[in-house]
Amino acid sequence: MSQVDVVLLIGSASDWPQLRPAAEVMQQLGLAFRVHVTSAHRTPERTVELVRESERDGCQAFICAAGMAAHLAGVVAAHTLLPVLGVPLPGGVLDGVDALLSTVQMPGGVPVATFAVGPAGARNAAFFAGEIVAAARPDVAASLRRLREAAAEKVRAADREIRSDWDRSGG
């Protein structure tokens, strides 16, 4: 296979809409990434195989997303020394809280960095993966700076607009 910076593993094809924002962020950052559907419970051997292949291909971080029991991130973390970024997904009886607790409650020595439930967590996991890669890739660091500055400019523009509207209204 080819060089890859980040591997995104999702527990089910139905999870893809929740994780698409992570893929979009990674594209904006210039990260080489792959996406695979694999299950900690239904395809455990394939999950471990994907971890090994990804390590051989130069992967620097895994983003793992699953709902309910959300064991995918923990299983991946048990089989690699690379950073594992867990994104719990909504669904099930507790609508993502169960997945959040499953992802965050890892035993000592097998950490999973855990993000918010759903698309917001997916985006932040992608940004965090970018920060990991940026330590060795100035182009990714520059992309991160550019995206942060663009976000800051939106805030400044909103501030100018609201202050201008307030001033015009005599406030």
Side-chain angles (χ1 to χ4, degrees):
M1 298 209 139
S2 61
Q3 175 71 26
V4 64
D5 296 316
V6 180
V7 172
L8 174 54
L9 301 175
I10 56 178
S12 168
S14 64
D15 297 337
W16 178 238
Q18 301 277 327
L19 271 294
R20 185 175 281 283
E24 292 166 357
V25 167
M26 289 189 286
Q27 283 179 322
Q28 291 174 330
L29 294 175
L31 297 175
F33 66 95
R34 288 196 297 252
V35 180
H36 293 282
V37 176
T38 189
S39 169
H41 304 109
R42 294 183 183 101
T43 60
E45 295 86 7
R46 176 65 178 145
T47 300
V48 174
E49 183 180 306
L50 286 167
V51 169
R52 298 289 174 251
E53 285 175 10
S54 300
E55 289 174 331
R56 283 191 299 271
D57 292 342
C59 177
Q60 295 181 54
F62 291 93
I63 297 175
C64 299
M68 296 171 45
H71 291 148
L72 184 58
V75 167
V76 170
H79 290 281
T80 188
L81 297 178
L82 295 173
V84 176
L85 316 178
V87 179
L89 298 177
V93 175
L94 299 178
D95 199 29
V97 173
D98 47 354
L100 174 63
L101 294 174
S102 245
T103 306
V104 79
Q105 293 292 342
M106 292 298 298
V110 188
V112 170
T114 306
F115 294 84
V117 175
R123 277 190 294 279
N124 270 343
F127 278 114
F128 195 82
E131 290 174 351
I132 291 167
V133 174
R137 295 255 312 274
D139 61 313
V140 175
S143 292
L144 280 165
R145 276 192 288 282
R146 186 184 79 252
L147 289 175
R148 282 193 182 181
E149 180 52 35
E153 181 50 37
K154 283 183 181 179
V155 172
R156 290 190 291 268
D159 177 60
R160 287 190 299 271
E161 183 177 330
I162 287 174
R163 284 186 297 126
S164 175
D165 287 349
W166 179 252
D167 291 344
R168 279 195 301 269
S169 71

